[in-house]
Amino acid sequence: MQPPKRARVEKSSSAECQGMICSGRRNVFTLNKSKHRGCEFAFSDILLLLFRRLRTVDTHGCSIPKITSQPLSSNRWLPKAPRQGDSGTMSIQDGQGKGTLDVAHYFDDEGIPAKIPYGGTSSRNHLAFKYYDEDQIVRGKSMREWLRFSVCYWHTMRGVGLDPFGGGTISRPWEDGTDGLENAKRRLRVAFEFMKRLGVPFWTFHDRDIAPEGATLAESGKLLDAVVDLAVELQSSTGISCLWGTANLFSTRRYMNGASTNPDAHVFAYAAAQVKKVMEVTHRLGGQNLVFWGGREGYQSLLNTDVRQELDHMAAFFRMVVAYKAKIGATYQLLLEPKPKEPTAHQYDYDAQTVICFLKTYGLDKDFKINIEPNHTTLAGHCAEHDVVMASKFGMLGSIDANTGVAHLGWDTDCFMADPQQTTLIMKTVLEQGGIAPGGLNFDAKVRRESTALEDMFIAHIQGMDAFAKGLVGAAALLEEGLLPRMVAARYASYAEGFGKRLAEGQASLEECEAFVAEHGEPRLVSGSQEKFQSIFNTYA
Ligand code: XUL
Ligand code: CO
């Protein structure tokens, strides 16, 4: 057996090709289901915090405890509101530049370069890419085109490090502590400045991340329009495009029993009206996709739930979406995002295969594809890459929420993916299906609660982008060399001709199988050779 050669990697820039193949650590997440049973508290407790409605906003645009000078709770299990003056808590006093349109100083002051440079693998600069060179050509396309990186608004711009045991740890100098429109607009300017410096081509958002929710549906719509007006301007001045938009149908208490699967038709109608608006603004922003993650579409108890009725309602909801998309002339790809649990105990869109089954059952499989989030995949008890591969094999992989979990925690930790074994397998799948467009690799990932420095938001994305760039190059080498694909094909060679071919094509009968076995007897044992496959794979990843 020949050792694998490195893929031919050309560069469109003058910089030299870097050695992209490294030896990697195998860390496939095979989660013990029983281990994360009982961990559903994470999301629900966070939401408990959010519903306290004490102003300042966190992930998905919900409320978190207001900065207050009240004494901290003595009960250590209750969420604690940070006090002004506590070291590391939010500074709402700093008004520097907040009234101006100029936001560059927030990053200049921290020594962030105007554009994160490519430094190559020998670089030890944490504010430079080691593998991601956007113009580098890999199998005929630039890294930028293959990877289609996107920054998500909810974690990166709204996350403050909330967890079930404590309030925010992360403060950003541009935040004024309100949930007002002025703050929302300034934050949006900062987001585009951040993405411009990082060099990502796309962004994603929920309606309630980018704009405050008003007292009525109409008021919320107006607030959203005001922010989207600015987003249209910022997209055109920076060249950054919208990968997808989505509606937050899970944070406010209105949706506590679900949105389209809510037993109350009034709530269903409200959710549909909210989605209508998001479809319009995403269309206006030129969004290439529209995502539906079934936030609270699931159940807590079968005793009070008619699951078939709820799923029928969900399908009816999506049929209205398909109809309205045609009506407004939108061309974006519609995507469902599976997740097995959190916040409900049993989410309907469990994993890729469940969603494919749902779409086919209700005749929606031509209208929707799937947005796979590897951390959700691990929550479903699969390895991180499983659903990416599964969706792709059935022609349903539309986009990827590029993140990963922590195997020994087992809830939705939304970490930036760092394991080259995982990114190589994912990018192998993306290469095999000819690309991920119009989807992309959206970093639905957040800095750790303890990563409170402003530069951490850059470093986290740089690290994640490098991990996928490295995976892309490794996967390109793997496919170009062709050894592993040939080894896989060899395992199935018996179906390639003769009686095996007739079996694979569905032309043979049970009686013929009986006659075949009568003639050929017991099959010989053929090794699965997993270790051999792993040892070859390790040379690429
Ligand atoms: C939640 C999640 C969402 C979706 C969009 O786990 O992944 O942020 O990606 O609603
Ligand atoms: Co997601």
Side-chain angles (χ1 to χ4, degrees):
M1 195 177 289
Q2 294 290 316
K5 283 190 220 114
R6 185 181 305 166
R8 190 158 42 84
V9 178
E10 301 150 28
K11 290 171 67 72
S12 58
S13 71
S14 58
E16 278 299 306
C17 168
Q18 299 292 325
M20 300 291 178
I21 297 173
C22 72
S23 58
R25 165 180 67 90
R26 183 77 181 143
N27 184 18
V28 169
F29 290 173
T30 39
L31 288 181
N32 175 355
K33 277 193 181 177
S34 63
K35 206 170 161 190
H36 46 94
R37 210 170 278 144
C39 287
E40 294 94 11
F41 68 83
F43 216 113
S44 52
D45 281 11
I46 287 170
L47 288 158
L48 189 128
L49 264 175
L50 304 179
F51 289 133
R52 299 198 165 201
R53 287 226 157 265
L54 294 168
R55 285 306 84 153
T56 313
V57 283
D58 186 27
T59 306
H60 298 118
C62 322
S63 303
I64 63 158
K66 179 167 81 173
I67 299 156
T68 165
S69 56
Q70 285 164 6
L72 296 178
S73 163
S74 56
N75 181 345
R76 75 185 190 93
W77 296 109
L78 284 178
K80 296 176 178 69
R83 288 179 298 191
Q84 267 178 339
D86 279 359
S87 68
T89 58
M90 300 171 202
S91 151
I92 57 168
Q93 312 290 19
D94 173 15
Q96 186 200 24
K98 286 195 175 123
T100 75
L101 295 182
D102 172 33
V103 292
H105 61 92
Y106 292 121
F107 298 131
D108 289 340
D109 293 353
E110 298 293 322
I112 308 290
K115 176 88 200 287
I116 301 295
Y118 171 67
T121 51
S122 59
S123 170
R124 296 296 173 264
N125 176 3
H126 55 275
L127 288 171
F129 293 112
K130 319 296 182 298
Y131 293 94
Y132 181 62
D133 180 4
E134 60 184 3
D135 296 323
Q136 184 175 319
I137 301 297
V138 180
R139 282 173 87 84
K141 275 197 261 183
S142 68
M143 282 194 168
R144 187 181 169 92
E145 287 170 281
W146 279 120
L147 295 161
R148 295 174 61 83
F149 286 129
S150 169
V151 164
C152 88
Y153 207 84
W154 50 102
H155 288 314
T156 300
M157 300 311 297
R158 307 308 306 271
V160 295
L162 200 65
D163 82 1
F165 306 100
T169 55
I170 295 168
S171 62
R172 300 299 186 206
W174 52 83
E175 293 288 335
D176 68 9
T178 72
D179 196 14
L181 193 54
E182 201 193 320
N183 202 19
K185 288 186 175 177
R186 182 174 47 251
R187 188 188 296 122
L188 192 72
R189 288 184 189 281
V190 174
F192 275 83
E193 180 67 23
F194 167 70
M195 294 187 283
K196 200 173 74 180
R197 289 182 186 225
L198 191 60
V200 287
F202 295 106
W203 70 299
T204 56
F205 69 93
H206 294 80
D207 46 359
R208 303 298 180 244
D209 315 323
I210 56 171
E213 179 157 15
T216 62
L217 183 72
E219 202 181 293
S220 298
K222 280 194 191 128
L223 289 165
L224 185 56
D225 279 337
V227 176
V228 168
D229 287 346
L230 177 60
V232 168
E233 265 176 48
L234 291 168
Q235 286 194 161
S236 110
S237 64
T238 58
I240 294 165
S241 312
C242 174
L243 185 69
W244 51 261
T246 190
N248 180 328
L249 303 177
F250 44 89
S251 288
T252 82
R253 63 182 186 173
R254 177 189 314 119
Y255 299 122
M256 69 180 182
N257 290 309
S260 69
T261 63
N262 199 295
D264 182 353
H266 193 152
V267 179
F268 178 114
Y270 204 109
Q274 192 179 325
V275 162
K276 173 178 176 288
K277 183 71 191 175
V278 169
M279 291 181 73
E280 289 160 7
V281 300
T282 304
H283 183 39
R284 206 179 139 209
L285 285 165
Q288 299 191 19
N289 306 267
L290 190 86
V291 165
F292 294 88
W293 166 59
R296 289 179 189 278
E297 314 295 30
Y299 68 89
Q300 306 286 26
S301 168
L302 282 175
L303 294 177
N304 66 359
T305 308
D306 181 338
V307 291
R308 182 64 206 243
Q309 210 185 138
E310 293 199 354
L311 282 161
D312 288 351
H313 294 167
M314 191 158 92
F317 189 94
F318 288 137
R319 288 199 189 100
M320 298 193 318
V321 167
V322 172
Y324 195 62
K325 177 185 154 185
K327 185 165 183 184
I328 61 176
T331 53
Y332 38 62
Q333 172 173 263
L334 301 175
L335 297 168
L336 291 193
E337 182 177 325
K339 186 174 184 181
K341 59 187 167 195
E342 286 185 21
T344 71
H346 306 270
Q347 299 276 127
Y348 289 130
D349 296 332
Y350 190 92
D351 63 1
Q353 284 176 279
T354 315
V355 171
I356 291 170
C357 175
F358 167 81
L359 291 171
K360 286 196 183 288
T361 301
Y362 290 98
L364 288 161
D365 52 310
K366 299 286 175 290
D367 298 302
F368 283 81
K369 284 197 175 177
I370 308 183
N371 181 38
I372 297 293
E373 180 165 325
N375 197 169
H376 296 176
T377 309
T378 59
L379 290 183
H382 307 301
C383 64
E385 319 82 24
H386 173 96
D387 267 1
V388 168
V389 173
M390 202 55 85
S392 177
K393 291 291 178 190
F394 287 87
M396 296 297 276
L397 178 64
S399 198
I400 297 174
D401 268 5
N403 74 1
T404 193
V406 179
H408 39 280
L409 288 181
W411 65 83
D412 198 13
T413 53
D414 289 330
C415 298
F416 284 84
M417 205 172 247
D419 185 337
Q421 299 254 326
Q422 291 175 343
T423 58
T424 303
L425 269 169
I426 289 174
M427 291 316 299
K428 171 176 172 285
T429 306
V430 169
L431 286 169
E432 282 169 339
Q433 71 166 38
I436 193 72
L441 298 182
N442 173 49
F443 288 110
D444 189 350
K446 60 190 178 200
V447 293
R448 297 304 85 194
R449 184 169 194 267
E450 302 79 12
S451 301
T452 52
L454 193 56
E455 67 170 12
D456 293 330
M457 64 193 266
F458 282 91
I459 297 167
H461 284 84
I462 292 168
Q463 181 273 125
M465 291 162 80
D466 273 340
F468 276 97
K470 187 173 183 172
L472 170 64
V473 174
L478 187 159
L479 292 176
E480 193 147 312
E481 173 72 19
L483 177 59
L484 266 183
R486 284 197 299 277
M487 285 164 62
V488 174
R491 286 193 78 207
Y492 297 88
S494 60
Y495 289 97
E497 56 191 26
F499 186 60
K501 189 160 189 240
R502 295 192 59 228
L503 283 177
E505 288 169 354
Q507 291 168 0
S509 65
L510 291 180
E511 295 93 311
E512 283 177 87
C513 289
E514 187 183 39
F516 181 87
V517 173
E519 187 185 341
H520 294 90
E522 183 68 21
R524 74 183 169 88
L525 282 188
V526 182
S527 172
S529 306
Q530 186 181 326
E531 298 79 1
K532 189 198 286 181
F533 281 81
Q534 185 67 62
S535 76
I536 301 295
F537 181 69
N538 284 348
T539 64
Y540 303 106

